[in-house]
Amino acid sequence: MKIDHYKSHDHLLVALDCIIFGFDRNELKLLLIKRDFEPEKGNWSLMGGFLRKDESLNESAERILNNLTGLRNIYLEQLHAYGEIDRDPVERTISVAYYALIDVHTHDKELVEQHSASWFPINEIPDLIFDHQEMVKAALKRLRYKASHQPVGFELLPEKFTLPELQKLYEGIYDTRLDKRNFRRRILSMDVLIKTDEKQKKYSKKGAFLYKFDQDKYTEKVTNGDSLVFKPLRS
Amino acid sequence: MKIDHYKSHDHLLVALDCIIFGFDRNELKLLLIKRDFEPEKGNWSLMGGFLRKDESLNESAERILNNLTGLRNIYLEQLHAYGEIDRDPVERTISVAYYALIDVHTHDKELVEQHSASWFPINEIPDLIFDHQEMVKAALKRLRYKASHQPVGFELLPEKFTLPELQKLYEGIYDTRLDKRNFRRRILSMDVLIKTDEKQKKYSKKGAFLYKFDQDKYTEKVTNGDSLVFKPLRS
DNA sequence: ACAAAAGTGTTCACTGTACACCCATGA
DNA sequence: TCATGGGTGTACAGTGAACACTTTTGT
């Protein structure tokens, strides 16, 4: 065969769709946009776009996410490639889904408004176009797995956070209730949080101490082969 | 925007590559082919092909796997989409990698020979073209995760197998040694194996009882919310 | 009779989980 | 002073892991 044999094969559109998770008011949420073109104009959708020849998949996902949020360097991971023949009625398109974890307070609210985007609690997601519902379901499953083995939850919180906030986050991700004492003991025993001497008084009169995640210490522990389990405890 | 706005976007080649696992002579192995066209002609490669417009990603992976092994209805799961710009030097191509688990004794040996394919122990994989080495690494990681939570190991064995064989399989997958008594107790306590009254005398004079995996019972347990852990024990 | 693999139970340490009360503060 | 959320310790049960000898049978 010749080197140009590739030419004889089909060329397709490659789309990307982003499942954007945030955590606000003790709830896990998704950022969805109202689609402004046909087909399915006016319906809710994941933020998406098409892959360009001059960018990698990851770069494309970063670009698309940046278009909506104005953010860079955020936690972004490939989820799955969706390739049913008729998944997009206009033209044969495969879509590579990515999920992102962002701190809801940092994104660019103007951009979000321009896209008619809004945040939906994970349990109140409206009907979505194409196979986006399936993507969301898979993303949630992946987030649950990921958060139980790696410290990704912190991506959804501000740099400084309280232990009650962190607990609420895990409760939101796993849709469950956790025991306060067990949760605190477990998280603190990992020894990857730095306690600051500041107190957060937003939610209580007494105030709760703010902590920071210690990325260096975590990296060191992983390098040493320690396996930290962030999986939450029951009840 | 008009409905035909899609036309203005880039169209790309979409390839598929298959990481094919087998288990033979107490070793976990991969089926690799010797590439018979440029570029990289003569070098070792994963079995691959291009996605056609008239087939879904899964169908395409099944077709490609069938081309090499003659097998159908094989355990096949999408791994990851690879999309670096220069991953294929001929033309911009994204590749969706799938991994397959097959019983090495059932595949069509003629087809495999036609493709100059052969089985390599997982620890003796030769240099591979493009980013195929990265794919293999990710596939092994995924297999390890998957096999610890779901009964996929059985896909690599014949329908009937002995407990020592099953133990060797897990030892191969995790590159570790397991305690015989702990392993047997754990696997049998899941209550998803059917003991036959046949003995396999291939490896010993005494002979070992053959077992079958009870898919129905397993499905029932999962439906009941039981979470079986196939994760192996240490030492 | 012996070599080689199959098969079998018990003990201990650790970790997950249940559970209730005091503390600090702003209103 | 009181209402609200923050913070703390202990006891028990279940599970993971270590560990050695007997059985079967072909040669």
Side-chain angles (χ1 to χ4, degrees), chain B residues 13-136:
Chain B
L13 279 173
V14 176
L16 286 97
D17 288 298
C18 293
I19 298 99
I20 304 170
F21 288 101
F23 185 71
D24 190 31
R25 298 176 45 119
N26 294 342
E27 279 187 311
L28 188 64
K29 294 184 175 179
L30 282 189
L31 185 57
L32 301 172
I33 66 170
K34 200 172 257 179
R35 198 160 145 114
D36 66 350
F37 54 87
E38 294 296 342
E40 301 267 4
K41 180 169 173 168
N43 291 334
W44 292 103
S45 158
L46 295 170
M47 179 66 184
F50 290 100
L51 177 65
R52 297 176 183 162
K53 280 208 163 160
D54 62 353
E55 62 187 2
S56 70
L57 281 170
N58 286 342
E59 285 163 0
S60 186
E62 283 163 18
R63 171 176 61 79
I64 289 164
L65 188 66
N66 179 259
N67 283 349
L68 177 59
T69 64
L71 300 173
R72 294 201 183 279
N73 299 321
I74 290 301
Y75 183 89
L76 194 60
E77 189 177 297
Q78 191 189 115
L79 179 64
H80 195 79
Y82 291 82
E84 290 304 309
I85 295 176
D86 54 0
R87 54 171 301 283
D88 185 321
V90 178
E91 182 181 334
R92 177 71 203 277
T93 305
I94 74 161
S95 174
V96 183
Y98 278 75
Y99 71 99
L101 306 181
I102 74 176
D103 171 3
V104 292
H105 303 293
T106 62
H107 67 266
D108 184 324
K109 289 183 182 65
E110 279 189 24
L111 279 174
V112 165
E113 238 171 68
Q114 278 173 36
H115 284 85
S116 319
S118 39
W119 288 97
F120 289 85
I122 196 72
N123 291 322
E124 302 166 26
I125 303 295
D127 284 344
L128 301 176
I129 66 166
F130 304 169
D131 47 6
H132 288 192
Q133 205 84 47
E134 190 185 345
M135 295 178 182
V136 167

Side-chain angles (χ1 to χ4, degrees), chain A residues 118-178:
Chain A
S118 38
W119 289 97
F120 289 85
I122 196 74
N123 291 322
E124 302 166 26
I125 303 296
D127 284 345
L128 301 176
I129 67 166
F130 303 170
D131 47 6
H132 288 193
Q133 205 84 46
E134 188 185 347
M135 294 178 182
V136 168
K137 202 176 154 192
L140 182 59
K141 192 175 164 190
R142 179 76 71 89
L143 173 61
R144 286 180 174 161
Y145 167 62
K146 196 81 182 176
S148 73
H149 296 271
Q150 288 181 266
V152 296
F154 306 104
E155 306 288 341
L156 293 159
L157 295 173
E159 195 201 344
K160 295 179 187 174
F161 51 85
T162 67
L163 290 182
E165 284 170 340
L166 187 62
Q167 182 178 343
K168 291 275 168 39
L169 170 64
Y170 277 97
E171 291 178 338
I173 292 176
Y174 295 100
D175 192 21
T176 186
R177 290 288 189 78
L178 302 177

Side-chain angles (χ1 to χ4, degrees), chain A residues 1-7 9-14 35-39 41 50-59 78-85 88-96 98 130 142 145 149 231, chain B residues 1-7 9-14 35-39 41 50-59 78-85 88-96 98 130 142 145 149 231:
Chain A
M1 282 193 217
K2 299 232 282 267
I3 226 181
D4 65 355
H5 75 286
Y6 285 10
K7 296 247 190 316
H9 297 284
D10 294 334
H11 289 66
L12 288 81
L13 280 173
V14 176
R35 196 162 146 113
D36 68 349
F37 55 88
E38 296 294 345
K41 180 169 173 167
F50 290 100
L51 178 65
R52 296 176 185 162
K53 280 207 165 163
D54 62 355
E55 62 187 3
S56 70
L57 282 170
N58 287 342
E59 285 162 2
Q78 190 190 115
L79 179 63
H80 194 78
Y82 292 82
E84 290 304 308
I85 295 177
D88 185 321
V90 177
E91 183 182 332
R92 177 68 204 279
T93 305
I94 74 161
S95 174
V96 182
Y98 277 76
F130 303 170
R142 179 76 71 89
Y145 167 62
H149 296 271
K231 204 175 301 183
Chain B
M1 281 193 217
K2 302 238 277 274
I3 224 183
D4 65 354
H5 76 287
Y6 285 10
K7 296 247 190 317
H9 297 285
D10 293 335
H11 289 65
L12 287 82
L13 279 173
V14 176
R35 198 160 145 114
D36 66 350
F37 54 87
E38 294 296 342
K41 180 169 173 168
F50 290 100
L51 177 65
R52 297 176 183 162
K53 280 208 163 160
D54 62 353
E55 62 187 2
S56 70
L57 281 170
N58 286 342
E59 285 163 0
Q78 191 189 115
L79 179 64
H80 195 79
Y82 291 82
E84 290 304 309
I85 295 176
D88 185 321
V90 178
E91 182 181 334
R92 177 71 203 277
T93 305
I94 74 161
S95 174
V96 183
Y98 278 75
F130 304 169
R142 178 77 71 87
Y145 166 62
H149 296 271
K231 204 176 301 181

Side-chain angles (χ1 to χ4, degrees), chain A residues 218-231:
Chain A
Y218 174 74
T219 306
E220 184 196 324
K221 282 177 186 286
V222 171
T223 310
N224 290 345
D226 298 14
S227 77
L228 309 187
V229 177
F230 293 83
K231 204 175 301 183

